Amino acid sequence: MEKLMRLISMAPLFLLLCLPFAFAGHDYNQALSKSILFFEAQRSGYLPHNQRVTWRANSGLNDGKASGVDLVGGYYDAGDNVKFGLPMAFTITMMSWSIIEYGKQMAENGELGHAMEAIKWGTDYLIKAHPEPYVLYGEVGDGNTDHYCWQRPEDMTTDRRAYKIDPSNPGSDLAGETAAAMAAASIVFHRSNPAYSAELLRHAYQLFEFADKYRGKYDSSITVAQKYYRSVSGYNDELLWAAAWLYQASNNQYYLNYLGKNGDAMGGTGWAMTEFGWDVKYAGVQTLVAKFLMQGKAGMHAPVFERYHQKAEYFMCSLIGKGSRNVQKTPGGLIFRQRWNNMQFVTSASFLATIYSDYLTSSRGTLKCAAGNVAPTELLSFAKSQVDYLLGDNPRATSYMVGYGNNYPRQVHHRGSSIVSIKVNPTFVACRQGYATWYSRKASDPNVLTGAVVGGPDAYDNFADERDNYEQTEPATYNNAPLLGILARLAGGHSGYNQLLPVVAPVPKPVVSKPKPVAPVPKPVVSKPKPAPMPKLTPTPVKSSSPITIQQKMTASWNNKGKTYYRYSIIVTNKSYKTLKNLQLSISKLYGPLWGLTKSGNSYSFPSWINSLPAGKSLEFVYIHSTTPAVVSVSSYNLA
């Protein structure tokens, strides 16, 4: 999950330069099948009879009930049990775009039906979440209580409150993205289910009007989303994004005019981007508008659309290292944007590169970069290099798709996969029990989360397969969604594409659901002895999405009489907007003296000279011992 907060420091990892790059042909069809299967593991609600991920069961069956609305269904976004509307809608938009561009290739692989089922699972929920023209429910569950617990979705005891936007509490970004999702999905179902397609388009029209008429950022209305999915880019990009999808879905000139009249004022022609994702849509808008221009649809808006087009090309040039400002890459060649779930940016950018390559090929054009003209095939080759890296062609020879290849993450930061299936052991897993029993368990997940794309390596191609390393081992639906289209394209070969023809989504063959084999849990590997590592810092089990963050680092080490001692500094920060009182910390595996806290029984509290911690302030304490760091966690606290 994307969270805008200070990230807990990670231990230094070693760059494994000695490993050969595992260059081998990849089975893109198999990867596509697995990446779609992941969405079944993320389902909330009553699971269907043809559910293939059989270790999951029904969950969230009272969602929305307290608010008098049925919000059962939809997707959990990542390794937690909250339903966040903004990333869920973006996920559905990108799955739909994948089918719109490469549905024919998915059909040839026999996966189109499964992909459409994955979209419909999301759009069925979005329809429920939009019970009135100017009302949209944008979150079910609360991130703070959810992150305090480690439970299977089937055992949830956390708050399942529903949060909405309306004219008094607007959210143009949320409503705009949901309108885009509905419009894009309406194209997907246009031939196979025209009545459903029309229903989706009706919701899209209403949501766009709501977003445009009552303007505001959704996280100002649904404030509990701020720590997890804050809308940093604002809502102008979503309004343009929704207009582009509504034009593509309806051919209604109103939306084309909206893009033309508002492109300059809303940043569509001004923002030169080097990223694309659930928050920042400008590069996606620019790519779609460039397509309209190539199709000859710009009309009187041609000068404005040309400026969108130039910014789309700026983005593409930055990806391949031939622009005036290029994206950062790891030594192994992977796009690197940030430490937390970097892979989301890799798949989203690679998708845009893939389709833009085909747009240029269809129009017999070339990419105009600061470094000169570039053939469209170079963009496709770049996208392929990113996907191949993800699937194992990297310095660690690690596949970042769970269940693909032989060397993939086994300790995924995911509640459902890390706890034994309720069908295997129905014993209730309590809130904190899950952390003690399952989260801290240093073993492979009992349930393989097949197809999940995890956060991925750091800026130096390093990766630690550990459940508490959530920056790198947590998966997300929006990592997988753009990947569907690229995998279908790469599996489909290199001929017969004309992406500028009118969009005609194919009709899937009837899906005969046979359970697909799920990769087995590997046998334990007996490791060769390794040199004793430097102490590795373990993040507190209470994730940094809590109002309280804990950062721990080693500040000194020395040797005395043949024994090495370490000094550790711990900084506790109040990230909330309230004053922190009655803080109680639990510290285990502490074998030396500690300064800066008061011990009371088995827990530790504020030092004698303070009794509270104001909003945004920190306190520091230190300890010394001769082993790896102590485990520090929050037992209890009050906010006043």
Side-chain angles (χ1 to χ4, degrees), residues 17 34 37 73 192 290 294 310 315 402:
L17 293 175
K34 290 178 185 290
L37 191 64
S192 62
M294 292 180 201
Q310 289 167 2
F315 177 80
V402 178

Side-chain angles (χ1 to χ4, degrees), residues 4 74 112 138 167 173 309-310 360 378 439 447 518 539 542 552 566:
L4 300 166
L112 178 60
D173 29 25
H309 177 217
Q310 289 167 2
L360 286 175
E378 195 165 331
Y439 178 85
N447 310 304
V518 175
V542 178
Q552 182 166 190
Y566 306 97

Side-chain angles (χ1 to χ4, degrees), residues 179-196:
M182 299 283 216
S186 75
I187 300 171
V188 171
F189 294 103
H190 181 68
R191 290 179 64 203
S192 62
N193 193 341
Y196 188 66

Side-chain angles (χ1 to χ4, degrees), residues 134 136-139 161-175 210 214-226 229-231 235:
Y134 294 163
L136 177 64
Y137 284 85
E139 183 171 333
R161 199 174 314 171
Y163 301 87
K164 68 179 179 180
I165 55 172
D166 56 30
S168 301
N169 303 281
S172 301
D173 29 25
L174 175 64
F210 176 30
Y214 299 100
R215 294 192 184 184
K217 276 179 55 174
Y218 95 103
D219 57 21
S220 297
S221 299
I222 303 178
T223 55
V224 291
Q226 288 181 359
Y229 291 98
R230 182 188 293 273
S231 180
Y235 54 76

Side-chain angles (χ1 to χ4, degrees), residues 585-607:
L585 295 175
S586 171
I587 304 178
S588 60
K589 300 181 182 178
L590 174 64
Y591 308 109
L594 179 148
W595 297 270
L597 294 178
T598 300
K599 187 171 184 181
S600 52
N602 293 323
S603 63
Y604 294 80
S605 57
F606 286 128

Side-chain angles (χ1 to χ4, degrees), residues 9-17 339 396 400 456-466 468-469 471-473 533-537:
S9 301
M10 291 176 57
L13 305 173
F14 300 105
L15 182 61
L16 302 179
L17 293 175
R339 284 166 52 187
R396 291 181 53 89
Y400 295 106
D458 68 10
Y460 303 98
D461 301 297
N462 298 317
F463 178 79
D465 183 13
E466 297 165 354
D468 57 10
N469 179 17
E471 290 179 336
Q472 295 188 326
T473 63
M534 290 292 286
K536 186 171 63 172
L537 305 184

Side-chain angles (χ1 to χ4, degrees), residues 139-176:
E139 183 171 333
V140 178
D142 170 62
N144 292 339
T145 60
D146 180 86
H147 284 70
Y148 185 73
C149 296
W150 193 264
Q151 292 175 292
R152 296 175 292 213
E154 297 83 0
D155 284 331
M156 270 189 293
T157 56
T158 49
D159 182 9
R160 299 301 289 174
R161 199 174 314 171
Y163 301 87
K164 68 179 179 180
I165 55 172
D166 56 30
S168 301
N169 303 281
S172 301
D173 29 25
L174 175 64

